[in-house]
Amino acid sequence: MWTLITSASIYSLYALPIITLSALGIYVRLLPLYKRAIKRVANHVGFRSLISPFSGAGFGTPRIRGIYQGFDMPWREKHKVFEKWGSDVITSVSWTGRSVIYLADADLIQKINGNARFFPKPVEEYTVLNFFGPNLVTAAGKAWRRQFNVSKDVFNSAGMGFLWTETRNIFDSMMTTNGWNNLRAGEEIVTPHVVDITLRIALLAIANAGFGMHMTWNDDPNAVTASGHEISFQSALHTVAQNSILKMSLPWFCYWLPIPHLWKVRTAFKELEVYIKEMIDDRKAAILGASERADEDDRSVEEQERYDLFHNLVKASMTGEEPLSDAELMGNIYIYLLAGHETTAHSIAFTFGLLAMNPKAQEKLYQHVMEFMPEDGVTDYEAFYPLFDYVRAVYFETLRMFPPVQQIPKIVAYDTVLILPETNAHNVELGLAREAQTQKLEGPSPITPPSTPTRLSSSESNSSVASTRSSASSSSSSSSSSTDSNLDSGSPLDMSPSSSTTSLSSVEEDEKDVCAATFAESVVPLTTIGDSSVVEAQALSLPLVPAADEIRLASGATWTRSTTTTSVNDRIPTPTVLPGQKSLLVEKDTIIFVDPPAVHYNPKYYPEPYEFRPERFIGAYDEKAFIPFSSGTRVCLGRRFSEVESVVVIAYMIREFSIHPIPLRNEKTGDVIKETRDEMMARMFRATPKITLTPHEMPIMFRKRKDGSGVVPEDAFP
């Protein structure tokens, strides 16, 4: 025993110096990296941590006080951390040498997202999403432009019309299959997690409108109907969507370990890949043989399939000048499946939760829907999507409060000077002033509803609604043009079904390494030449001004222009620092995180940001401060798909049911546990940022508004 104690003491005696020397060696090794990272962002305010959020370790590590702020920091803190540091631009510097900037300033974000040359997407960090092949998310340069050119016309008005009808049919199938049509007024449907409903709806919508399948609510999602497969398409898709983060995090050999869940994930990815390959081959054969079809049923199927997104994508890839490879087709189909399935389902679930907690807004939504909904419930995209402006406003307010994407990374390609406000202490006052200005200057709502609700049949309603939309759009165009010229906040988003997506010309300019027209003085690119720097004057639409020979930066450093270097017309844009502003020199290779939650909860753009106020999105609103699907050249192409599907589901669900939260109960006694509204909100809206923001558990009760007689009893809503 004495020998053991003596050995342990000797071991401790030698171990302590070894550990100390090792720690000192690590410190000496990391200190230069840390100092370099600090210099890269001019020691601007923010986090100083051991782990970088833009790393493999940062992606999977939770918050550790004093060591790491956690990957979920943007969602957890929203704008509060920016208020703490007194700036809408903060930094995160890690001892591993990585510098990150978080942005909550919509003006800077607009210019950075609009300039792919100086602030490209770090696509090398997205290669883990190449599960099935290269895609729009992971591609860059010419490869991205080629895929964009093929994909941009897929989301057209005909496809949106097909999606509207399919989503409406899915809702009818859900009501009939579950027997919800037969419920009497006041009867209730209780769901422990509303995502179980919305995920099923979104899955059928992407399968039918996205892939031309013919699934119904009555189908068994686990039934294997295709020969040669181990699991069904629906099961494979659901498992892949739920485990994409896991797939990105673990090395390939882990999936051969004797762990049942990992085997299930491996099987799902393998099966989904086979399903997608088979669908591509079948659709190519159908397109090539379409002209030979003589059977009427076949022509009917072909007529229907030509509107689904998958058909259009395959056809465009076959007939275009630069067709996509099968690997690129598979890669993009996977991205559309993931975004069109899980993201939309979660956003609709958050919408139902917010309506449950805000009964006044829910009642206003119900009155709005019933004002335009025909008695037989038959609607179409062209006529009713523009009319349901308050439905869109409810959905947009949900996306503001629960943005699907939490962080959008960019990388600084050149040394850059950012011009930003000295402080964000006045954001609340600025937000109230902007809101008052918008209310004062905005014209009538783009859609002016009739003073008295009129209930028509579907045929009468479609013609009446079309004329209303036509007259309203003509009046709104003139009012919006005058509003745009006066409002600093930007123009309202075009909601017409025929509105196009991102401008191809601007995308091509960016991909040809030409500055976007929106690149203004608040972002001034520099290129280092020897010991001095010179502004690279390629802001084509910006009035160029004489260059200053020397600029004193807020950080105390001096930036000197090389007098031997000339630029366009010997004139360059200078970073003009006005009173109340300061400059921030950001060096090449710094990571920029566009922070949607911080922007959406910034009182500068949204007064009382924690309040659910759909009216923010009626009429003119600050489009650049609304970035749930990103912005600029790489904005999500499937945005309209998600919006249309969500509008249909919300409108029809609110037509049939009132929505209520489920109180918390004691598990043993069943007694209701008293909660404040804030406590109930915190319980219902717990969420985790994964690939998109994912709710934990959201119990919701749907109460039938009326029975088959069409009469709502007075005591139906206690």
Side-chain angles (χ1 to χ4, degrees):
M1 177 64 69
W2 177 254
T3 304
L4 291 176
I5 295 175
T6 304
S7 300
S9 301
I10 295 174
Y11 176 79
S12 301
L13 183 66
Y14 284 102
L16 184 61
I18 292 173
I19 293 173
T20 303
L21 288 174
S22 299
L24 182 61
I26 294 172
Y27 173 80
V28 171
R29 183 179 180 84
L30 294 181
L31 185 60
L33 296 177
Y34 179 71
K35 287 184 175 180
R36 182 72 184 87
I38 287 283
K39 181 177 179 293
R40 193 176 287 125
V41 292
N43 200 22
H44 189 62
V45 296
F47 298 99
R48 303 295 179 260
S49 60
L50 184 63
I51 303 173
S52 171
F54 198 71
S55 66
F59 189 77
T61 304
R63 180 190 186 189
I64 306 174
R65 291 185 181 274
I67 296 178
Y68 179 48
Q69 67 267 26
F71 189 78
D72 66 340
M73 186 278 295
W75 171 245
R76 187 184 69 247
E77 298 292 337
K78 300 177 179 67
H79 192 259
K80 289 180 290 188
V81 71
F82 292 86
E83 295 168 5
K84 170 188 173 183
W85 294 109
S87 176
D88 283 342
V89 179
I90 64 173
T91 63
S92 175
V93 178
S94 71
W95 280 82
T96 57
R98 177 71 83 177
S99 304
V100 174
I101 292 178
Y102 291 96
L103 292 182
D105 186 294
D107 297 294
L108 275 176
I109 291 171
Q110 182 188 40
K111 295 170 178 62
I112 287 172
N113 278 347
N115 198 290
R117 181 190 179 198
F118 288 97
F119 305 98
K121 186 175 184 177
V123 292
E124 66 278 358
E125 303 292 340
Y126 282 80
T127 54
V128 289
L129 287 176
N130 287 334
F131 295 134
F132 302 112
N135 53 72
L136 276 169
V137 174
T138 62
K142 293 181 178 179
W144 177 85
R145 186 170 67 249
R146 178 168 50 80
Q147 294 183 49
F148 176 86
N149 289 339
V150 171
S151 302
K152 66 183 177 64
D153 292 329
V154 167
F155 297 93
N156 52 39
S157 291
M160 295 304 101
F162 182 49
L163 169 64
W164 182 287
T165 302
E166 283 298 314
T167 307
R168 198 187 70 210
N169 292 338
I170 290 166
F171 183 86
D172 291 342
S173 177
M174 175 187 72
M175 295 290 292
T176 303
T177 302
N178 293 325
W180 295 347
N181 279 332
N182 300 322
L183 294 178
R184 294 188 59 81
E187 289 188 309
E188 299 167 348
I189 302 166
V190 176
T191 171
H193 191 21
V194 72
V195 171
D196 294 338
I197 293 177
T198 61
L199 201 63
R200 177 79 168 146
I201 293 174
L203 175 63
L204 294 178
I206 192 65
N208 292 356
F211 287 83
M213 298 180 179
H214 307 286
M215 295 182 180
T216 68
W217 199 272
N218 196 39
D219 294 341
D220 181 358
N222 298 315
V224 181
T225 58
S227 60
H229 287 276
E230 299 178 42
I231 59 177
S232 68
F233 172 79
Q234 296 185 56
S235 297
L237 176 57
H238 181 68
T239 303
V240 166
Q242 293 292 317
N243 293 277
S244 289
I245 289 285
L246 184 66
K247 181 71 171 178
M248 289 190 293
S249 304
L250 297 180
W252 64 270
F253 59 82
C254 290
Y255 295 94
W256 292 93
L257 297 175
I259 301 175
H261 182 71
L262 294 183
W263 282 26
K264 178 182 178 182
V265 173
R266 185 188 69 185
T267 300
F269 273 87
K270 181 188 70 174
E271 285 287 288
L272 185 61
E273 181 177 10
V274 174
Y275 273 117
I276 294 175
K277 283 182 178 179
E278 291 174 349
M279 288 189 293
I280 290 174
D281 293 341
D282 291 345
R283 196 57 59 93
K284 282 186 174 181
I287 292 171
L288 292 173
S291 59
E292 301 176 2
R293 295 185 176 183
D295 185 83
E296 183 64 28
D297 290 338
D298 285 340
R299 288 200 300 271
S300 174
V301 170
E302 180 65 26
E303 181 71 17
Q304 184 181 29
E305 287 181 344
R306 69 188 181 92
Y307 292 122
D308 73 73
L309 304 181
F310 178 61
H311 182 91
N312 291 340
L313 186 64
V314 173
K315 187 174 183 179
S317 71
M318 294 174 61
T319 58
E321 295 180 1
E322 298 177 297
L324 301 183
S325 66
D326 283 353
E328 289 171 333
L329 266 177
M330 291 187 63
N332 281 289
I333 288 166
Y334 162 71
I335 292 299
Y336 291 149
L337 278 170
L338 187 66
H341 171 224
E342 199 171 56
T343 305
T344 304
H346 293 162
S347 296
I348 297 174
F350 284 126
T351 303
F352 289 154
L354 287 169
L355 290 171
M357 295 301 298
N358 295 272
K360 290 183 179 179
Q362 182 181 163
E363 178 62 21
K364 183 175 181 178
L365 175 64
Y366 173 68
Q367 296 299 332
H368 169 78
V369 169
M370 297 309 293
E371 190 166 15
F372 297 107
M373 182 72 73
E375 290 184 357
D376 58 6
V378 178
T379 60
D380 61 69
Y381 170 69
E382 289 287 340
F384 285 88
Y385 182 73
L387 280 182
F388 285 154
D389 58 340
Y390 193 72
V391 185
R392 287 197 307 273
V394 166
Y395 184 60
F396 283 6
E397 178 69 346
T398 300
L399 292 175
R400 181 193 69 81
M401 298 183 72
F402 297 92
V405 179
Q406 300 293 297
Q407 302 179 60
I408 305 167
K410 303 286 182 181
I411 189 167
V412 179
Y414 300 90
D415 293 346
T416 302
V417 173
L418 303 181
I419 307 301
L420 51 138
E422 284 186 336
T423 177
N424 63 6
H426 306 294
N427 277 9
V428 173
E429 293 86 346
L430 289 172
L432 292 172
R434 288 161 64 93
E435 186 176 58
Q437 182 189 33
T438 300
Q439 292 173 352
K440 179 179 179 181
L441 293 178
E442 72 176 12
S445 174
I447 300 298
T448 305
S451 56
T452 304
T454 303
R455 303 297 301 277
L456 305 173
S457 66
S458 59
S459 59
E460 293 171 329
S461 179
N462 287 342
S463 60
S464 175
V465 164
S467 63
T468 303
R469 178 169 62 88
S470 176
S471 60
S473 62
S474 63
S475 63
S476 65
S477 61
S478 60
S479 63
S480 63
S481 62
S482 62
T483 303
D484 294 347
S485 62
N486 292 305
L487 275 178
D488 175 66
S489 60
S491 59
L493 183 66
D494 179 13
M495 289 298 176
S496 62
S498 60
S499 62
S500 60
T501 55
T502 307
S503 169
L504 180 59
S505 60
S506 65
V507 173
E508 289 177 336
E509 286 183 349
D510 279 330
E511 294 299 317
K512 290 178 182 176
D513 287 346
V514 178
C515 272
T518 58
F519 197 66
E521 288 190 7
S522 56
V523 181
V524 181
L526 311 176
T527 54
T528 302
I529 303 177
D531 295 330
S532 62
S533 299
V534 60
V535 173
E536 188 164 298
Q538 295 193 11
L540 302 181
S541 69
L542 192 68
L544 302 181
V545 296
D549 291 331
E550 186 174 283
I551 295 175
R552 176 72 62 178
L553 301 177
S555 62
T558 300
W559 165 36
T560 305
R561 180 178 68 90
S562 171
T563 57
T564 60
T565 304
T566 60
S567 57
V568 180
N569 298 325
D570 292 326
R571 298 163 71 82
I572 59 177
T574 58
T576 304
V577 182
L578 302 175
Q581 295 180 333
K582 67 179 181 181
S583 57
L584 174 63
L585 178 60
V586 180
E587 295 186 9
K588 178 183 176 182
D589 295 331
T590 299
I591 294 296
I592 290 180
F593 271 146
V594 174
D595 191 336
V599 175
H600 290 179
Y601 283 83
N602 190 338
K604 179 179 179 180
Y605 310 112
Y606 299 102
E608 299 181 325
Y610 288 87
E611 295 297 318
F612 180 65
R613 288 168 45 188
E615 291 74 17
R616 303 179 203 268
F617 294 97
I618 295 294
Y621 66 91
D622 193 347
E623 188 178 342
K624 68 178 181 292
F626 182 60
I627 52 174
F629 299 99
S630 188
S631 63
T633 57
R634 299 190 75 124
V635 68
C636 176
L637 282 176
R639 170 177 177 170
R640 180 57 61 86
F641 189 98
S642 176
E643 291 173 7
V644 170
E645 177 187 341
S646 301
V647 165
V648 176
V649 175
I650 295 167
Y652 278 85
M653 188 66 84
I654 206 69
R655 172 180 180 250
E656 297 292 336
F657 301 97
S658 60
I659 307 174
H660 308 268
I662 297 177
L664 185 64
R665 293 183 180 274
N666 187 298
E667 293 183 359
K668 294 182 179 179
T669 64
D671 296 335
V672 173
I673 300 175
K674 292 184 178 180
E675 296 175 287
T676 65
R677 186 177 189 278
D678 289 342
E679 289 172 341
M680 183 175 284
M681 289 281 291
R683 173 173 61 88
M684 287 185 59
F685 294 105
R686 288 183 300 123
T688 300
K690 295 182 179 179
I691 287 186
T692 59
L693 188 64
T694 304
H696 289 187
E697 186 174 280
M698 192 179 298
I700 291 291
M701 178 177 67
F702 297 96
R703 183 175 292 152
K704 197 72 164 65
R705 291 186 179 273
K706 61 182 180 179
D707 56 21
S709 65
V711 177
V712 183
E714 293 182 0
D715 61 347
F717 308 106

